[in-house]
Every structure is written in C-alpha cells, then in structure tokens.
Amino acid sequence: MKSGIPGFDEMVGGGFHQGTVNTITGSSGTGKTVFASQFIHHGIGQGEKGMIITPSESAEYMRREMMSSFGWDFGALENDGKLSLIDVTDPVLRLQKSIDVDPVDFLINFRKLVERKLQEEKPKRLFIDDLTAFFMAVEAPFKIRSLTDDLFGTIRSSGVTCLVTIGTAFGTNQFLEYGADSATMLNRERIGNTLIRSIYVMKMRGSKIANSIRVLDISDDGISVSTLSPYP
Amino acid sequence: MKSGIPGFDEMVGGGFHQGTVNTITGSSGTGKTVFASQFIHHGIGQGEKGMIITPSESAEYMRREMMSSFGWDFGALENDGKLSLIDVTDPVLRLQKSIDVDPVDFLINFRKLVERKLQEEKPKRLFIDDLTAFFMAVEAPFKIRSLTDDLFGTIRSSGVTCLVTIGTAFGTNQFLEYGADSATMLNRERIGNTLIRSIYVMKMRGSKIANSIRVLDISDDGISVSTLSPYP
Amino acid sequence: MKSGIPGFDEMVGGGFHQGTVNTITGSSGTGKTVFASQFIHHGIGQGEKGMIITPSESAEYMRREMMSSFGWDFGALENDGKLSLIDVTDPVLRLQKSIDVDPVDFLINFRKLVERKLQEEKPKRLFIDDLTAFFMAVEAPFKIRSLTDDLFGTIRSSGVTCLVTIGTAFGTNQFLEYGADSATMLNRERIGNTLIRSIYVMKMRGSKIANSIRVLDISDDGISVSTLSPYP
Amino acid sequence: MKSGIPGFDEMVGGGFHQGTVNTITGSSGTGKTVFASQFIHHGIGQGEKGMIITPSESAEYMRREMMSSFGWDFGALENDGKLSLIDVTDPVLRLQKSIDVDPVDFLINFRKLVERKLQEEKPKRLFIDDLTAFFMAVEAPFKIRSLTDDLFGTIRSSGVTCLVTIGTAFGTNQFLEYGADSATMLNRERIGNTLIRSIYVMKMRGSKIANSIRVLDISDDGISVSTLSPYP
Amino acid sequence: MKSGIPGFDEMVGGGFHQGTVNTITGSSGTGKTVFASQFIHHGIGQGEKGMIITPSESAEYMRREMMSSFGWDFGALENDGKLSLIDVTDPVLRLQKSIDVDPVDFLINFRKLVERKLQEEKPKRLFIDDLTAFFMAVEAPFKIRSLTDDLFGTIRSSGVTCLVTIGTAFGTNQFLEYGADSATMLNRERIGNTLIRSIYVMKMRGSKIANSIRVLDISDDGISVSTLSPYP
Amino acid sequence: MKSGIPGFDEMVGGGFHQGTVNTITGSSGTGKTVFASQFIHHGIGQGEKGMIITPSESAEYMRREMMSSFGWDFGALENDGKLSLIDVTDPVLRLQKSIDVDPVDFLINFRKLVERKLQEEKPKRLFIDDLTAFFMAVEAPFKIRSLTDDLFGTIRSSGVTCLVTIGTAFGTNQFLEYGADSATMLNRERIGNTLIRSIYVMKMRGSKIANSIRVLDISDDGISVSTLSPYP
Ligand SMILES: Nc1ncnc2c1ncn2[C@@H]1O[C@H](COP(=O)(O)OP(=O)(O)O)[C@@H](O)[C@H]1O
Ligand SMILES: Nc1ncnc2c1ncn2[C@@H]1O[C@H](COP(=O)(O)OP(=O)(O)O)[C@@H](O)[C@H]1O
Ligand SMILES: Nc1ncnc2c1ncn2[C@@H]1O[C@H](COP(=O)(O)OP(=O)(O)O)[C@@H](O)[C@H]1O
Ligand SMILES: Nc1ncnc2c1ncn2[C@@H]1O[C@H](COP(=O)(O)OP(=O)(O)O)[C@@H](O)[C@H]1O
Ligand SMILES: Nc1ncnc2c1ncn2[C@@H]1O[C@H](COP(=O)(O)OP(=O)(O)O)[C@@H](O)[C@H]1O
Ligand SMILES: Nc1ncnc2c1ncn2[C@@H]1O[C@H](COP(=O)(O)OP(=O)(O)O)[C@@H](O)[C@H]1O
Ligand SMILES: [Mg+2]
Ligand SMILES: [Mg+2]
Ligand SMILES: [Mg+2]
Ligand SMILES: [Mg+2]
Ligand SMILES: [Mg+2]
Ligand SMILES: [Mg+2]
C-alpha cells in the first residue's frame, strides 16, 4: 500500500503492508503527525477511506493546522464521508479521559471504541495520534505488553492499515514498536549549527528495508524523504 | 503575531500564531523571563493588553527587576490598565500555595484562576512564569498530561497568545512542550572559556522553522536573536 | 548440530550442541525470528522434527510472514506432521495470558506446557519466540533466575536443541543469557549513513568461538553470516 | 554592594545587589566557605555588620580555620559586636538537629530562627553555610521549592544581602539556585595533571554578567578571581 | 599456591595465598568457570584435593562440559576421591533452592553447608561457582556485606584456598570483591572487529601485582595468560 | 603532623592537621589500608601511640597482612602498648554486627565505642578502616549526615588525628568526605595497557594543597607519593 510520502516506499520496498500496524516514533516536532496525516490524505485521494483518532489533541485543532500548513481540508473530506476524525474526548463517545480514570480501564475502553468505529466506518487507512501517555500510565511492562497486543490484534483483524505515532517523552516507545509490524524513527540531528530532520526504518516485517538514514523534508507540499543522507 | 524579539520572527516565519500556547525552556538564567517579558512589553507598545502570572516569584520582584535591567516600567503600565501582573500568592486570590496543598488541587485551582482572569481582563498576550515545580509535584505522568491538556485548552479557547516558561531543573519540560504549539529552547554553551547564550526553535506547528541554532544576546535594550551561530 | 544459517557454524566450530538452550538476543527487527525460524526450517529439511512456541505473536501471523518473506510454508509442514507451531494463547491450551494473570504463575504453567508438548511431540529442534516480557514482569531477579533455571532444565533434559529469542527492550536479556549454553547477539550498527546488521557470539560452552563481529544478511533466501566485518 | 572578592565584581558588573539571595555552588573543597567568609569579613571592614549561620559545622571550628588560614579573627570581631556567628546546634537556640527531627520541621524552625536573628542583629551581610543536607531530606521537590521560597522571601524582606553556599553532593543545588537572585559555580577542573580552581557566574538578575569561566585562586590573602581562563 | 593457569602466577608474584578467598569477576562467557576449574584440576594433579560447589548449574552439566572441552575427567576424579563436586540442588543436601525460599535463609544455610562440607572433605582447593544471584536477592547492602563477611570468614578459617566466580549481570560484584583477598577481572574487549579476552588483577592483598591488562586465551589445553596486551 | 607517607606532606604543605578527621577514598585495592596503616606505623616510630579500629575485617587478618607485605609487626607493637588494634566484632566489646542489628543503632553504638576507647587509650593517631557499609545502610542522607557529624565531632574533640578510609562501592563517600577536614582520593587509571596508581588531594582545610595528580607507589617498603604525574 503506497504511503503517499514521496521517497518512503522506495526505502521499504513498496510501502506498508495491508492489515498491519506501523509505528512512527520521534520526539516533539519531528513530523510524526504530518507524516501520518499525509498517509491518510493520500489514501483518500486514491479512494481509500480514512480514519484519524486523536486521543490527546482536539480534532478541531488538527483540522485547522493541516489546512493552514498544507491546505489539506480535513473538514470538507469529513463532510464528503471520506474521512472520519474521532476525538476521544468527545462526550458522545463517553470515553472519559480525566485524571481520575484508571489508565488500564481507559486503554481497554479505547480498544473497544477503536473496534466499534472500525466496524461502523470500515476505513482502509487508520491513524492513531500518540497514545503513549496512556501506556506510560500503566505501571507493569507486562500489562503494557498485553494491552498493546490486544489493541494491535484488534486493528490487524479488521484489515485496516494503521499508523500509530509515538512520542519519545514517555519512554514507552520500545514497548509499542516491539509489537508493531514496522517501526520508523524520525529524528532531528545537529550537524554543526544546523538541525536536519532525518528518517530511518528500523524494521518492516516481510520487506527488505534500506539500510540507511535519510533526510526528511517538510514544506508547504507536505513531507517527503530525500535521497540525501543527513551526515556530511 | 510579532514576538517583539528582534530576529526571532524570522526564525519561525513570522512570529507566534494567535491563540496558541508556546513554551520557552531553559535552565536558570538562560533568559526565559526576559524573553517572555519583552513579548508582553512589546505587545503593549502595539496596543495589545498584557497579562503576566507569576506562580513562583513575587510580582513586586519582577517589577523591580524589569525596571532596573531594561527600564520597562511595569508598575506604570499596570496603572494605565495596559498590563495586569498577577501574583498567585496574593491572598485576595485565595490560591493557597504552601507545602500542605495537594499539587493536583493547586493546578486545578490555578487553571480556574487563569480562566477567570482571562475572562475579566481579556488580554491579547499572556505570560505564565515557570510553573514546572507544580507539575513536578504530580507523580503520574498520565495526570501531568491531563492537567497540561486542561490548562492549555483553557488558554487556547480564550484566544490569547501565551508564552509559558519552563525551567529544566524539574525534568518535566518534555511533558509541557509536548502539548504546546511551539517549543523554543534557550541554552548557554561553553565554547572554549566563553559561555554563549543560544536559542533554537524545536517546533512550531503550522510554520516552517529555521533549522539552526542562533546566538541570543541580552543587553540594556533587552533580548535579541543574532544571525550568528554559536559554534565556530 | 548444523544451524542451517550459512556461515554461522564456522563461527562456533560446528553449530549448536545437542540438548542445549541457546539465546539469540537483539532489539526489534534485528532478525531474531528469521534466524530461529531458519534453524527450524533447515532441521525439517534434514528430517528433524521442529517445534515453535510463540508466546507473544499469533502463530497465524508467523505462518504468513515466513511464507511471504522467504517462501517457507510452515502451514504445509504442520500438516505433514514435521512441524508443530504452538500459540500459547490458543484456548485449547488453557494457558491464560492476560493482564490479570500473575507472571510467576504464567511462567510456571508455561514450563509445564513446554514439558508436556516436548513429551507429546518429541521434536529435535525447538524455537521459543521472545518470552522476555513475561520474565520482565517478575520483580525479584532471584526469582527470574530460578524460573529460568527451571525452564532451561526442563528443555535440556528432553534432549531437544532449543533457540530462545530475547528482545532487549525489557532489560532482562542478561538473566536469560546467563543460564544459557550459548549466547548470540544480533545488532544493527550505524556506519556513516548506513545501518549494517551484525552478529556476534558471546559464548558457547564447550566450543571455541570466533572472536569477531560479522555482517548478517537477510534476503529472499533467508539469513546468512557474511565473512565481512561491519567496521571499515 | 562590593563582594570583597578581587576580580569578582568586574565579572558581574558591580557586585551583589542589596537585599538579594545569592548561591555559591561547588563540590567539597572548591572554596565556597572561603568565598562567603571573605564577603562577610570584607563587609565588616566597610563598617557593615556581618552574620554567619552554620547549620553543619560548629562555629568554633570556623573561627579556628579562618584564623589559621587567612588570619581573620572572627572571635575578636564577634566580641566587638561586628559579627555574629550562629551555630544552630547551640542548645540556647533550641533548634534541635538530630536524626529524629523531621527535616520539614527543622527547615520551618530554621526559617523562624533566621527571621528572629535578622531582626535582633540587623546585619548588612549574611552568610548561611551549606544547608543542602536539610533540603535533601525533604522528599517532594514541590515542598523543597516552597520551603526555599519561604526562606529566601524572609531573607529578602529583611534587606540583608545574603550568600548561601551549596554542596553538590546532595543533588539539590538546582532547586536552591532556581529561587536565588544570582548563582555562582565553583569548580576544580583537571587540565592535564593539574587541577585548577575555576569560577563561573550562571546568572545574576538585573546585571550583565561576564560570559566566561575564570581561574579562582586561594592563598594566604584569601580568595580572588584571576583574569586568566582555566583552559589553555 | 600455584594457580595452574600458565602466566597468571607471574602477574601476582607467585599465585594465590593459602587460606584466602579470591574472586574472579566477568560477564557471561568470559572464562570464569574454565579458570576456576583449571585451578581445581591443576591442584588435584599436585595431590591437593579439590571441591567444587555449583549453586546454579547441575554438577552433571559441569562434568560433561569440562570433559568435552578440555578432556578433564571430573567424574573419574570424584570416583578416586580426589574431587568432590557438590550440587546444592541435590535433595540429599536439603538446601532448598526455589522461588519460595528467602534468599537470606538460603545464604545462611549455604554457609552452613560449606562449613560442614569443608570439615568432612578437608579439600585444599575450593571453587564456588557464581552465587551472585543469591546475593542480588538480598536487598540491603548492609546485609549483603554481613553475609559475605560470614561466608568468607568461614572459608578462611578452614584454611582452604578458594576461588569464587562472580557474574556481572547482577551488579553485586563490588560487594563480594570488597571482602575478598584478591579480585581478578575477566573481560572481552572489542578491538576493531575482533573480540579479545583479557585479564586484569585488581588487587591481591600481600602481593605486588602486575599493573597491566593481559590477553587471556582459551584453547583445548585450557586457559592461559599471554604476555601480550590486548590493545594495539 | 607528618603523615609518614614519603611525598605526601609536600602535597599538602606539611601533613595532616592535629585533631582533624581526614578521609582516604578509593575503590578496592587502591591502597587505602596500606596508606593509613603506614600513617599509624610511622607515628609509633615517632613515639605517638596508635589505634586502629577495623569494623569490617578481623584484626588478626590485618596483623598478618601488614607483617607479610611490609614487615610491620603490629602484634609486637600491641604487646609493647604502642598500638591498640580493635576489632569491633570482638565479643568483649558487645558491639553486635550482624544482619539483624539496625545500622543506625550500630553507628550510635560505634560512636560510643570510639569515644570510650579514645578516653581509655589516649592515642595520638587513629585509623578507622572503611565503615561505609554501615553508613550505606542508613537510608536518609539527612541521617547519614547527622551520624557523620556526631562521629567526627567526637573524634575531633578528643584531639586525636584520624584517618578514615572509604570504599567507593557503596556510593556514600561524598557524605563522609563532606564532613571531613581533608579528602584524599586514591585511584588506578589505565594508561594504555598499564594501570597506574594515582593520588590526589581534593581538599585540606587550612592548607594550600598541590593542584596535581601524582603517581602512588606500593612496594615492600610501603606506600609513597612519586613526583611523577600519571599522564604521559
Ligand atoms: N508548511 C510548512 N513548511 C515547513 N515546515 C512546516 C510546515 N508546516 C509545519 N511545519 C513543521 O512541521 C512540524 C510539524 O511537526 P508535527 O508533525 O506536528 O510533529 P510531531 O507530531 O512529531 O510532534 C513543525 O515543527 C512545523 O515547524
Ligand atoms: N541589562 C542587562 N544586560 C545584560 N544582561 C542582563 C541585563 N539584565 C539582565 N541580564 C541577564 O539576563 C539574565 C536574566 O535571565 P532571566 O530571564 O531571569 O532567566 P531565567 O528566567 O531563564 O532564569 C540574567 O542572567 C542576567 O545576568
Ligand atoms: N525477503 C527479505 N529480504 C530482506 N529483508 C527481509 C526480508 N524479509 C524480512 N526482512 C527483514 O528482516 C527483518 C525481520 O526481522 P525479525 O526476525 O522479525 O526481527 P526480530 O524477530 O529480531 O524482531 C525485518 O526487519 C525485515 O525488514
Ligand atoms: N592559606 C591558604 N592557601 C591556599 N589554599 C588554602 C589556604 N587555606 C585554605 N586553602 C584551601 O582552600 C580550600 C577551602 O575550601 P572551603 O572554602 O572550605 O571549601 P568548601 O566550603 O567549598 O568545601 C581548602 O581546600 C584548602 O586547601
Ligand atoms: N576447547 C575450547 N577452545 C576454545 N574456547 C573454548 C573451548 N571450550 C570452551 N571454550 C570457550 O570458553 C568459554 C567458557 O567460558 P566459561 O568459563 O563457561 O565462562 P563463564 O563461566 O565466565 O560464563 C566459552 O565461551 C567457550 O566458547
Ligand atoms: N609488598 C608489596 N609490594 C607491592 N604491592 C603490594 C605489596 N603489598 C601489597 N601490595 C598491594 O597493595 C594493595 C593493598 O591495597 P589495600 O591498601 O589493601 O587496598 P584498599 O584498602 O584500598 O582495598 C594490594 O592491591 C596489593 O597488591
Ligand atoms: Mg504530533
Ligand atoms: Mg525566570
Ligand atoms: Mg521477532
Ligand atoms: Mg564549606
Ligand atoms: Mg560460568
Ligand atoms: Mg582496605
């Protein structure tokens, strides 16, 4: 399945595999949300219905940012029934997210919500924006592992192709990457006085991947992988 | 929205976005308070009402320091109704800050105070000086995340443009930067026997940012970003 | 016993010793599962019955991946009685794996399951895919040690030759390698802009091992050890 | 206010500000006590009454050391009413310091003692020798912060100019520096086979500070800042 | 007392001192068991009775490995009454080693077992294979220290010369080395693409030790210290 | 007071100050016990009575080692009443040292024992061999600090000159050095393939100390500071 990120599919020998869960890891501002949004936006252009679930930022906010940064009109695509943008904090979903809720309960309910929404909407592409804070709240690594397995299992069995973004602030990225079908790392490295965005695919099950770190560019046209390498 | 920091707006393609929360991170003495105070002072010069909330230092202290360092007369501006300087320890506010108060309660009440003050004063620019100590006191990262989301959400929905300074002593900067719309880092780096102030914008949602580290200068005229890079 | 990994047996003076437990350690995507699967697949080609126990991924998933990546038809081999692929989450096994089960209980029951299956199936080669998450859940290192000793003892006394893969995300690899008869490390190292897979045998009791780090290749033909070294 | 340390006032554009709290941080033996004692001794020579509070070493000990090292006769100055040297372990003060006292209680009582003594003696210069061990004993950073704010507030409102020395052994220096008006760092760096004392001013609110690391000398004449830099 | 390791006695000016406890520390596969087994085997060749206590691996396993690796027939030596190989898990010893036993109790009983066995068998050389896992299970360093003192005291007072191997996986090596009469470190260092075994004697009370790191070789003839140094 | 270590007194401008507590810190085998024993032995040669307190090794053991290593006959000196060697585990002292005793109690009783012994024997030089394990067992740094203050205060007020050795394995050295009058560091540094012993005086209150790291030699004549520096 074409990622829609120019240069990326060549790195992994053809794009993401259908029915897989793929992580995009990076610290704040490395381009995770742009990468995954473009994956969704590109899919819609191919006639593949998209779904975005934002556990930590309001959907309204994402609509505005993608419009102003890249001219992607998510609101219009929602109205056309080509995209469903789900804000878990929406009271209709009754998925309480507050300081009083138990993170394990939240994650179990979150999994159920994802399952129901996938059945209702039957999207081809799914993007779940950074839910590491919730996993971080689960103390036992053993439980994190089980909850990840359950969520990823639910997603895989629906046949949708999914991107999950992961912040590095919470130190749980390893647990999620561990259970994923592919793991991509976004970085920003200091070369002299300059900070260069970089991308590197750590693994993709079933694919031969490029053994190299590449430069990642963000411009008004969106995100793309350059054939350049970040190191001089 | 012009930052009022010479050289900064060029780094981020035009300044801060209106209605956003922006973090300024750095260790003690890197210039965070000067940077954000100048943002407020500049706004007032543009006819934009300012508000400063100081959770950890007395307002009186800030008035004196800004006057003596840069000749910015915050007291006069307050009298003219152009600035409101709020000291959370003011007994009138009844926002108890003591070793007996529960940090979560404090943060919830702090959010309510901010909300009320924004409604009453309707400032265009807001500066909240370093509240990391309070977040640090919250043990579960999950709760820090929720409390940050709530506070930042409250601020955004008021339409004010906000700068939040963050000390690095408490290790919580990542959690706050995570939920912010832009994240700027101030540093002091040793080049030989000299310590150079530096600035670097880690992210700004919706803007193309300069991929470089610049020198930051503080003089009697205030703070400014040089076009020089700190490394030889 | 021939490993079936071209180039590996020469590194360790002849292959794995029969009736031993051997660990393959590496971070996500370094090739652990491919290495151990090829060991099983090669054995079957030699007429040695194989067994694969997957505590953390569904057997179905492994069947598909090995078929699509390397054309190894595990499903057909199972039907021919040459391979048994055991998914511990299979309800028939009643080996509950959930967030409510006590990890010590799970590991004790897991050992019993392995023991029973080895008696029933009498395989010559065994591959247990990454059970570090379970060990990680055991708090006292002392207990991890005892549980490892018990499991490895059970396996050794059956006479089967076993490969155990170990993820590094959970920090327990040292405990398992400690009790194993050989320990092999898979890595991915950055040489300039390139990431090279590497292999290194840390110990093999009773064998003279090559004191060198070698390049590891994965292609459509499977995994193999090159005579090249990863460093220029 | 002149520090009395030759070369220091030039580094910070004129000395310490009156009515401020200033930290001197460094590991054991870097010269903190000598630096702050000279600040007091110099003040007395200028007709400014001094006060020294030693929470962790007996006053008698300090009298002997300053006499033998630099010929400063603190005992005589006390008799002349120019200096008051307060040993918190003095039974008269009833400020119990033992392994049974709660550190928070100790710090609250310590603040009260400081307040009372400042009122009684009305010194112009105050030196509090290393109370980090007490802060270290307070577990919640949030409480350390509050207690620091309270103590520093008490001192500032008395108008005295205060130096607080901070050992690095206890890891709490950041919390205290954070709330201080200036922060100076003393170090000992290995250059080849030699260990050179160095000084560096991290921040001084309201002053332009030298952006450089300087050599610090201790001799029979006391401590002084050289114009040399420690690095070749 | 000659160690029996070619090249080692020259490093320490003559070998181990009689009636001492000596640690051999190293990570998994560095050659600790081979080193200490050769010490025992060599002693037997000199007419000195040997004893090996294996708390963590079955004696049977050690017999097989030493035979196949180096042709040392431990089984025959036991039959001849020249060696006693004690497996603490032997039910006859009633030294329960399970996940339910308290590590402190285990270590106290272990000390008693060692004492009794030394009285019964009166060996000249003793080798205790890696009991760090047990010490690791004791939480208070203070208790580890006491238990080590007790065990080492028991051994010394019997007059036997003892080697204790220590794995580094458990982080307790420092505590054991601390109380030992000599401490030797085995390592494997990467020089380019090659991994070289090395040996270094950290301390030997009462002996002048070589201040150098040497290469350690393992071959069919056993282990020996080369006069080469591992670094080019 | 002459240390008796050739080359050391020149480093610190004359030796140790009378009536002070001085720490000698270093990892296992760096020469701490030899350094402090020579200090005692030298004092006896000058007619100054010595006392050695060994909390962690039997006195008998020290007698043998010093005799065999350097020909210092501590047993004879004890018989002549010139040295008293106190083993705290001596049942006569009733200073129980076992895994059941509370470390705080032990340290309080230890202080009393030291006080009593100093009064009874009136030595001029005291050497306390490594009691870090006991301090390590005290959890609150605050209490460690108090207990150190008490012990060091007791020693100082007796007028004896004391050396306390401190192992680095327990991480408490900073707390003890902190309260001491001088702090000396012994090291072993790897220069190429060679390990060189080194010495460095971190602080000595009231003395100008050499700002350099020197080579330390141990030979049959005891320990001495070379004028060489360890680095090439
Ligand atoms: N039109 C644009 N041109 C260049 N850079 C942009 C543009 N729009 C946004 N960006 C940059 O892209 C980044 C967006 O990153 P984002 O995907 O939100 O990061 P993450 O999700 O990893 O935190 C921001 O740092 C922003 O500066
Ligand atoms: N007029 C001035 N000229 C130069 N530097 C100044 C001037 N006034 C203040 N400063 C410096 O600016 C810094 C102020 O930093 P501040 O904004 O308070 O830091 P932060 O809030 O990050 O702790 C101080 O270190 C001070 O030395
Ligand atoms: N046919 C192929 N050619 C080249 N590389 C492949 C091929 N099939 C799979 N791979 C690579 O092999 C790796 C498989 O690793 P895997 O054994 O699953 O890792 P681990 O078990 O250590 O997590 C993946 O990163 C994938 O990119
Ligand atoms: N007259 C002197 N000449 C040179 N150095 C001295 C003299 N007197 C004391 N010193 C040195 O000054 C240091 C005193 O440091 P001090 O201020 O007590 O350190 P701190 O308070 O940071 O632990 C000691 O290390 C000592 O060696
Ligand atoms: N005959 C031999 N020739 C060369 N190397 C051998 C031979 N026999 C065993 N070895 C090596 O010696 C090592 C044995 O180490 P061992 O003493 O068991 O390590 P440890 O006890 O430190 O874990 C193994 O790594 C093995 O590869
Ligand atoms: N006669 C000697 N010649 C040379 N070195 C010796 C001699 N006697 C002992 N040593 C060395 O001195 C060291 C003694 O160190 P020691 O003072 O016991 O260390 P610590 O107390 O720091 O653990 C030992 O490592 C030993 O090798
Ligand atoms: Mg994002
Ligand atoms: Mg500030
Ligand atoms: Mg795998
Ligand atoms: Mg001091
Ligand atoms: Mg071993
Ligand atoms: Mg010693």
Side-chain angles (χ1 to χ4, degrees), chain A residues 42-59:
Chain A
H42 176 85
I44 296 172
Q46 308 285 99
E48 294 167 1
K49 190 172 178 181
M51 178 181 286
I52 300 178
I53 304 180
T54 66
S56 50
E57 285 166 63
S58 82

Side-chain angles (χ1 to χ4, degrees), chain A residues 104 108 141-143 145-147 149 156 174-175 177-178 181 200 202-203 205-206 208-209 211-213 229-231, chain C residues 28-29 56-57 61 65 69 97-99 101 103 130 132-134 136-137 167 169-170 188 190 192-195 218:
Chain A
V104 170
I108 290 171
F142 175 70
K143 292 193 179 177
R145 191 62 211 281
S146 285
L147 291 162
D149 275 3
R156 278 181 193 119
Q174 287 200 307
F175 295 97
E177 290 164 1
Y178 190 84
D181 299 298
Y200 148 53
M202 244 168 64
K203 72 163 178 184
R205 286 174 180 155
K208 186 174 180 69
I209 53 181
N211 290 325
S212 61
I213 302 167
S229 83
Y231 310 100
Chain C
S28 194
S56 50
E57 286 167 62
Y61 185 83
E65 193 186 325
S69 292
K97 182 198 134 200
S98 84
I99 64 163
V101 81
D130 210 330
T132 38
F134 297 94
M136 174 65 176
F170 302 88
R188 217 166 8 209
R190 184 159 78 76
N193 288 289
T194 314
L195 289 134
I218 306 182

Side-chain angles (χ1 to χ4, degrees), chain D residues 80-127:
Chain D
D80 295 355
K82 293 174 175 168
L83 170 67
S84 82
L85 219 167
I86 297 161
D87 186 337
V88 299
T89 58
D90 188 332
V92 177
L93 299 175
R94 282 174 309 170
L95 185 62
Q96 216 190 334
K97 183 197 132 202
S98 83
I99 63 165
D100 297 322
V101 81
D102 175 50
V104 170
D105 288 345
F106 177 85
L107 284 165
I108 290 171
N109 288 329
F110 180 76
R111 193 192 59 69
K112 286 183 195 152
L113 170 71
V114 170
E115 191 166 29
R116 201 177 73 232
K117 285 289 172 186
L118 288 174
Q119 281 168 0
E120 285 171 22
E121 305 278 348
K122 300 199 186 351
K124 286 278 176 293
R125 298 186 179 215
L126 171 64
F127 159 29

